[in-house]
Amino acid sequence: MELTCLLLLALIPFHCQGQGVYAPAQAQIVHAGQACVVKEDNISERVYTIREGDTLVLQCLVTGHPRPQVRWTKTAGSASDKFQETSVFNETLRIERIARTQGGRYYCKAENGVGVPAIKSIRVDVQYLDEPMLTVHQTVSDVRGNFYQEKTVFLRCTVNSNPPARFIWKRGSDTLSHSQDNGVDIYEPLYTQGETKVLKLKNLRPQDYASYTCQVSVRNVCGIPDKAVTFQLTNTTAPPALKLSVNETLVVNPGENVTVQCLLTGGDPLPQLQWSHGPGPLPLGALAQGGTLSIPSVQARDSGYYNCTATNNVGNPAKKTVNLLVRSMKNATFQITPDVIKESENIQLGQDLKLSCHVDAVPQEKVTYQWFKNGKPARMSKRLLVTRNDPELPAVTSSLELIDLHFSDYGTYLCVASFPGAPVPDLSVEVNISSETVPPTISVPKGRAVVTVREGSPAELQCEVRGKPRPPVLWSRVDKEAALLPSGLPLEETSDGKLRLERVSRDMSGTYRCQTARYNGFNVRPREAQVQLNVQFPPEVEPSSQDVRQALGRPVLLRCSLLRGSPQRIASAVWRFKGQLLPPPPAVPVAAEAPDHSELRLDAVTRDSSGSYECSVSNDVGSATCVFQVSAKAYSPEFYFDTPNPTRSHKLSKNYSYVLQWTQREPDAVDPVLNYRLSVRQLNQHNAMVKAIPVRRVEKGQLLEYILTDLRVPHSYEVRLTPYTTFGAGDMASRIIHYTEHNTCHFEDEKICGYTQDLTDNFDWTRQNALTQNPKRSPNTGPPTDISGTPEGYYMFIETSRPRELGDRARLVSPLYNASAKFYCVSFFYHMYGKHIGSLNLLVRSRNKGALDMHAWSLSGNKGNVWQQAHVPINPSGPFQIIFEGVRGSGYLGDIAIDDVTLKKGECPRKQMDPNKVVVMPGSGAPCQPRPQLWGPMAIFLLALQR
């Protein structure tokens, strides 16, 4: 008999629901904030219309367990801005002062590791209207063989807007159109940027000289007002014309003060003048005042093109450009070119030799060159020629050619570059020609072909150049993936052959090329060599941190792996427990390859062996550490956020209850959970209520439930939940619960929660309580009090006495609700008492595409002198309203009343409440009671066996 009882107890379920509450993420986007709508059907989920400068608020409503994480991303509305990776990890996306460039499609991605992520999108349409721009163009054409000229004027109005703007042309205060004036033509040109309308005045007449206004409108979309621009057309209207006070090319010396005047020679209205500089802004210290540009103490860096532009919105802007050249010279170089015809790379007597000299100058063509030999001017002869602009050399290069080189031609040659008559210092370069003048060679010093340094240290790459003269060395990278040097340049010149790198990083590793330059030396094929740079850096390991859970008495294997490092090997691995050194793990055999990981095995997890384990891995350059937190404590609970209607309250009570649900994360990873420690604390208070909740075997995915009671309206609470096993306390989870009564109306306020009386019905609903009832009201119909049973409580009812007639209807319409869920449940109490009771109907008005009323629920006839509750499921496809319609019956004893109307997300309760019972407050907090299952028949079967 005892055995049978134990079996019976074991079959009684404890938890509310079984396994399987883990669910993939689902998402839906709803909008709030300062939205405006162009068309009624645009208030659906897919399009959000907003005015530029307003605040964008998008909410991603998610369901799923565990609670999904939300990420917002955006694709732009134009091809120029492909994708923005400024992700926002929040359920609410808020953009203050939204700009037109921020329009486009926004994506909400919700994922919780169960199934595939949920991705929803919404298009944001930003509305704006810029100031319009009006320009005037005119043409003059000969007609009938030059007997007279016909003058035509085009007024072009352009604006940027969204949605497309509507244009209205006015002459004075009169609106213009094709039909009213044959001399007017209004059309939209092709291939224009922005929105454009042209007003064409044909064969200009005296009355056409007037004030013209272009008014643009987006029809008050989002409250955007109309904008306008006005132009006065006269017989003197003309485009701007300019002339300059200097030549278009102005050459000056450094240090001079430069003044350029831009003079207007025509234009009505008076044109506006503006100076600009290309490339870049005007020089620091430059002053542009009207048409005068002044640059004090001009320098070489101020060279460039200076543009003077005149605009008056008539014709095309007038533009004049000054090319300012400030005399300067820099970078004097030389080249030694052996006999090209004989393809020689050495200087040999009897062969030709060419010496070249070049400077970078402004203006380049004004540079003059002089050659000297051994301090005296070089004299021209049949064997000594001086040429300029050699096609094989840079522009404006001077070359001295020695034909049939003699021993007497050896010596020191000097090339001097100058600007005659200008206060610019000369530049010179010296070349020595002798039997010792030989082409260069380049090599890497012994032991320097491979340079190995540690990350963060300086490095020096060196190549040695021999020859006379010794040219500069040009450095570059051989790696195709990294074509640029650390300086950001593809080539870097060094005079001593050394490339110096500061604070090298691992991405600087690779092969570097050094080669001789073809200037300041021999103009021959470059000689080159290569240097390998190896940057050593400390190891990177995984896991950097890992939480290891295991039941008491079970073994654990900890593994620390080398991801990358230079050198890519583990030189040593040291394990510590709570900071204390552990014996080294077994050594890797000598014949094996260098190890890439280190392992530590714990034979059994105990309270003493629980704690922090560290594995410090070194590769002789540095070290990295894997940290393992080993314990047998339980993982944290996972709160369930999709509980249907968790808040339960009553209008006259100052308390409310809350249905708290959760699952246990990975319950099989450690010892079974024995109980939970629940802590409930009102926000901004210090004291907390603590209670232990015992549980039996918890399965993965099993939904646990506890009802929190005696919570004070309308306060919020912090709930902490900690699992306990034989090991002790596990990880705690916390959440904030809020008092919410979503769209619940008790009709206690005169505003009746935003409900309104329908203007198309026959009569209205009435708000009253037992204290405001008409003492002469009809007996045997209507409720004596509201649902609470107190005289102060209000309700809504229809009075069916005269002058009401059979079939008269009274409609009470709710506010507009934005559909943020697939299913809703409308719950309300009704009172239908009297022998002439007509009908009570619940309708749903969908506002997705126009107003459409659909019947959702209906009840007729006398239902007794008692309040009863109804739960009506609805699934609106878009924004909606609910309508309570009372229909008068055959006589005056037909008053119908409603109270406590609640609109909640989710499905309605499967089991309807007893209609003869009033909802009461739940009792003291207790775990969920068991639901009917198969243990009853099984118990009877076992009792039969016992007998």
Side-chain angles (χ1 to χ4, degrees):
M1 185 63 182
E2 293 177 357
L3 176 61
T4 303
C5 294
L6 290 175
L7 289 173
L8 285 172
L9 290 174
L11 289 170
I12 297 177
F14 173 79
H15 302 291
C16 290
Q17 298 184 22
Q19 302 180 17
V21 297
Y22 286 106
Q26 293 186 358
Q28 183 182 15
I29 297 176
V30 296
H31 52 74
Q34 298 167 307
C36 52
V37 179
V38 179
K39 297 179 181 179
E40 189 174 25
D41 60 353
N42 275 358
I43 55 177
S44 63
E45 175 187 305
R46 293 297 176 182
V47 181
Y48 182 103
T49 305
I50 187 171
R51 178 174 175 172
E52 187 174 44
D54 286 347
T55 299
L56 170 74
V57 180
L58 298 177
Q59 286 183 306
C60 189
L61 305 180
V62 296
T63 60
H65 186 69
R67 183 70 167 177
Q69 297 294 316
V70 174
R71 176 191 181 195
W72 284 96
T73 54
K74 171 184 175 290
T75 55
S78 62
S80 61
D81 189 9
K82 292 295 184 184
F83 192 80
Q84 298 180 352
E85 270 296 348
T86 53
S87 300
V88 177
F89 292 90
N90 198 345
E91 293 183 10
T92 300
L93 173 68
R94 184 181 182 91
I95 301 178
E96 303 283 349
R97 300 187 58 81
I98 191 169
R100 65 192 64 179
T101 55
Q102 292 174 303
R105 186 161 292 278
Y106 285 79
Y107 291 86
C108 159
K109 181 180 181 181
E111 55 185 337
N112 61 355
V114 180
V116 298
I119 300 177
K120 294 293 182 180
S121 68
I122 186 171
R123 182 169 62 86
V124 174
D125 195 15
V126 181
Q127 311 280 283
Y128 57 90
L129 177 64
D130 290 344
E131 294 290 339
M133 179 177 293
L134 195 155
T135 58
V136 180
H137 304 267
Q138 53 187 351
T139 62
V140 178
S141 60
D142 294 334
V143 181
R144 296 182 183 178
N146 296 327
F147 285 105
Y148 70 93
Q149 288 184 326
E150 183 179 86
K151 189 173 184 180
T152 301
V153 173
F154 301 86
L155 284 82
R156 179 188 295 260
C157 185
T158 302
V159 71
N160 293 316
S161 70
N162 182 36
R166 179 178 63 183
F167 292 79
I168 299 175
W169 282 101
K170 294 182 179 180
R171 180 192 288 132
S173 59
D174 299 329
T175 302
L176 296 174
S177 65
H178 300 281
S179 58
Q180 295 178 351
D181 192 337
N182 293 330
V184 169
D185 189 12
I186 300 175
Y187 64 93
E188 182 175 342
L190 299 175
Y191 311 114
T192 56
Q193 185 174 6
E195 300 167 62
T196 303
K197 275 289 194 298
V198 174
L199 172 64
K200 180 180 179 182
L201 304 176
K202 300 177 288 187
N203 191 15
L204 206 64
R205 304 161 297 181
Q207 63 264 32
D208 291 331
Y209 295 112
S211 176
Y212 291 88
T213 299
C214 172
Q215 180 177 328
V216 292
S217 171
V218 289
R219 295 163 293 281
N220 203 35
V221 166
C222 294
I224 299 176
D226 296 351
K227 297 183 179 181
V229 59
T230 301
F231 184 85
Q232 182 71 40
L233 182 65
T234 68
N235 57 0
T236 61
T237 299
L242 291 174
K243 72 174 184 179
L244 292 172
S245 62
V246 298
N247 294 328
E248 292 185 353
T249 299
L250 180 61
V251 181
V252 297
N253 294 319
E256 293 183 358
N257 297 325
V258 175
T259 300
V260 181
Q261 287 186 324
C262 187
L263 305 175
L264 284 171
T265 59
D268 183 27
L270 184 66
Q272 299 292 320
L273 294 174
Q274 185 176 11
W275 281 96
S276 62
H277 177 232
L282 291 173
L284 189 65
L287 177 63
Q289 191 170 8
T292 302
L293 174 66
S294 301
I295 307 176
S297 186
V298 71
Q299 301 299 320
R301 61 178 178 273
D302 299 330
S303 295
Y305 290 94
Y306 291 80
N307 307 306
C308 175
T309 306
T311 56
N312 67 349
N313 292 336
V314 179
N316 295 320
K319 183 177 180 181
K320 292 292 184 179
T321 300
V322 177
N323 183 13
L324 179 63
L325 300 176
V326 182
R327 292 186 178 94
S328 64
M329 288 191 299
K330 61 181 180 179
N331 299 334
T333 59
F334 70 88
Q335 288 179 314
I336 303 173
T337 306
D339 199 324
V340 178
I341 298 177
K342 297 183 179 180
E343 298 182 353
S344 175
E345 291 191 348
N346 296 289
I347 297 177
Q348 298 183 22
L349 297 176
Q351 293 184 358
D352 297 345
L353 181 68
K354 180 167 63 176
L355 307 179
S356 302
C357 175
H358 176 80
V359 295
D360 296 330
V362 176
Q364 188 73 53
E365 64 277 3
K366 299 298 183 180
V367 177
T368 63
Y369 296 92
Q370 283 185 296
W371 286 93
F372 296 86
K373 177 184 177 183
N374 297 328
K376 297 180 180 180
R379 295 182 178 181
M380 301 283 289
S381 66
K382 294 183 180 181
R383 290 194 315 101
L384 193 150
L385 303 177
V386 176
T387 61
R388 187 180 173 98
N389 295 330
D390 190 324
E392 297 181 357
L393 298 172
V396 193
T397 297
S398 178
S399 297
L400 186 146
E401 297 187 34
L402 299 172
I403 310 300
D404 187 17
L405 186 67
H406 291 180
F407 182 81
S408 60
D409 294 326
Y410 287 165
T412 300
Y413 292 82
L414 179 69
C415 172
V416 179
S418 62
F419 276 126
V424 179
D426 296 343
L427 288 182
S428 61
V429 63
E430 190 175 81
V431 187
N432 184 268
I433 302 298
S434 67
S435 59
E436 297 178 354
T437 305
V438 293
T441 61
I442 193 168
S443 62
V444 178
K446 185 177 181 180
R448 301 288 296 173
V450 178
V451 178
T452 301
V453 295
R454 294 191 175 187
E455 191 172 37
S457 303
E460 184 178 271
L461 311 185
Q462 183 178 359
C463 286
E464 290 183 345
V465 179
R466 292 182 174 85
K468 188 177 181 181
R470 288 190 298 180
V473 174
L474 302 179
W475 287 90
S476 61
R477 293 197 67 167
V478 178
D479 315 75
K480 293 182 179 180
E481 299 82 6
L484 299 180
L485 292 166
S487 62
L489 301 173
L491 282 176
E492 189 168 330
E493 175 186 321
T494 62
S495 58
D496 57 358
K498 296 179 180 180
L499 178 65
R500 296 172 176 86
L501 304 175
E502 301 293 334
R503 296 186 59 83
V504 296
S505 58
R506 64 193 66 180
D507 57 346
M508 296 182 187
S509 296
T511 304
Y512 289 75
R513 177 192 295 115
C514 58
Q515 63 182 30
T516 56
R518 301 182 70 167
Y519 54 86
N520 290 347
F522 276 74
N523 181 22
V524 295
R525 175 182 56 83
R527 276 60 168 166
E528 65 179 47
Q530 293 184 352
V531 179
Q532 178 69 32
L533 175 63
N534 293 332
V535 179
Q536 294 184 334
F537 55 92
E540 295 181 13
V541 295
E542 72 169 358
S544 58
S545 179
Q546 185 177 3
D547 189 8
V548 180
R549 306 291 176 99
Q550 185 60 278
L552 292 173
R554 294 182 183 175
V556 167
L557 181 65
L558 308 180
R559 179 180 178 126
C560 184
S561 300
L562 176 66
L563 284 181
R564 60 187 65 88
S566 178
Q568 180 76 18
R569 61 180 177 83
I570 295 179
S572 64
V574 177
W575 287 86
R576 290 181 173 86
F577 173 58
K578 296 181 179 180
Q580 299 298 317
L581 192 65
L582 294 176
V588 177
V590 179
E593 297 181 357
D596 61 355
H597 67 274
S598 180
E599 293 181 345
L600 178 66
R601 180 179 179 84
L602 303 179
D603 294 331
V605 175
T606 64
R607 287 184 176 85
D608 294 336
S609 64
S610 297
S612 177
Y613 288 81
E614 297 179 2
C615 176
S616 181
V617 171
S618 172
N619 65 347
D620 293 335
V621 176
S623 62
T625 303
C626 297
V627 179
F628 303 90
Q629 296 293 339
V630 178
S631 77
K633 67 179 181 178
Y635 286 105
S636 61
E638 301 165 316
F639 284 112
Y640 188 70
F641 288 85
D642 299 335
T643 306
N645 310 318
T647 304
R648 301 172 183 175
S649 63
H650 192 267
K651 67 158 74 174
L652 297 181
S653 173
K654 296 182 179 180
N655 294 344
Y656 71 97
S657 62
Y658 193 91
V659 179
L660 186 70
Q661 293 182 311
W662 70 93
T663 59
Q664 178 61 40
R665 179 187 170 195
E666 302 297 338
D668 298 329
V670 295
D671 298 292
V673 176
L674 303 177
N675 59 76
Y676 288 90
R677 182 180 184 270
L678 175 68
S679 172
V680 181
R681 180 184 62 86
Q682 182 180 320
L683 294 186
N684 302 322
Q685 299 290 331
H686 297 290
N687 297 330
M689 182 276 291
V690 179
K691 184 178 181 63
I693 306 175
V695 293
R696 296 184 182 176
R697 178 73 180 182
V698 178
E699 303 291 341
K700 183 174 182 179
Q702 193 170 18
L703 190 60
L704 308 177
E705 179 178 302
Y706 187 83
I707 300 177
L708 303 174
T709 60
D710 299 327
L711 306 177
R712 303 289 292 174
V713 175
H715 298 291
S716 299
Y717 291 80
E718 181 192 36
V719 177
R720 296 184 177 184
L721 196 61
T722 307
Y724 276 76
T725 64
T726 54
F727 178 80
D731 291 339
M732 180 269 294
S734 67
R735 64 170 292 190
I736 305 296
I737 61 173
H738 303 278
Y739 172 73
T740 55
E741 260 191 305
H742 295 292
N743 300 319
T744 299
C745 186
H746 303 297
F747 302 113
E748 300 301 314
D749 189 352
E750 291 182 357
K751 297 180 180 180
I752 58 174
C753 314
Y755 279 76
T756 58
Q757 307 284 353
D758 194 340
L759 299 179
T760 64
D761 55 8
N762 306 109
F763 66 110
D764 290 341
W765 287 77
T766 302
R767 173 179 172 267
Q768 73 172 21
N769 61 13
L771 301 178
T772 61
Q773 288 178 354
N774 186 349
K776 298 181 180 181
R777 69 186 184 93
S778 303
N780 301 319
T781 187
T785 64
D786 75 336
I787 182 67
S788 68
T790 61
E792 296 84 7
Y794 282 88
Y795 58 91
M796 300 296 292
F797 86 109
I798 60 171
E799 173 60 65
T800 58
S801 300
R802 286 186 301 177
R804 302 280 68 85
E805 296 179 355
L806 175 65
D808 281 358
R809 299 173 184 270
R811 284 188 166 193
L812 189 65
V813 184
S814 78
L816 180 66
Y817 300 118
N818 194 354
S820 58
K822 187 175 181 181
F823 298 103
Y824 284 85
C825 182
V826 181
S827 300
F828 59 95
F829 286 87
Y830 60 89
H831 191 282
M832 301 173 68
Y833 171 55
K835 65 179 182 179
H836 299 145
I837 288 292
S839 299
L840 177 61
N841 302 320
L842 178 68
L843 300 91
V844 178
R845 176 174 293 173
S846 175
R847 300 299 295 264
N848 195 30
K849 294 185 178 179
L852 179 63
D853 298 346
M854 298 185 63
H855 276 267
W857 179 90
S858 182
L859 195 63
S860 301
N862 186 359
K863 302 302 177 186
N865 189 12
V866 66
W867 284 100
Q868 304 183 61
Q869 190 176 27
H871 302 286
V872 182
I874 61 174
N875 57 341
S877 58
F880 67 97
Q881 295 169 290
I882 58 174
I883 302 172
F884 287 96
E885 181 183 65
V887 183
R888 200 239 192 203
S890 59
Y892 66 91
L893 298 179
D895 295 354
I896 299 175
I898 60 172
D899 198 5
D900 285 15
V901 180
T902 303
L903 177 66
K904 298 180 180 179
K905 299 176 185 178
E907 298 180 353
C908 290
R910 295 182 181 180
K911 183 179 180 181
Q912 295 286 332
M913 182 175 296
D914 186 344
N916 295 317
K917 292 184 179 180
V918 177
V919 174
V920 297
M921 292 294 296
S924 60
C928 178
Q929 296 299 318
R931 292 181 176 177
Q933 297 193 20
L934 295 178
W935 63 271
M938 182 62 72
I940 296 173
F941 174 72
L942 291 173
L943 287 173
L945 288 179
Q946 180 69 20
R947 292 180 180 179

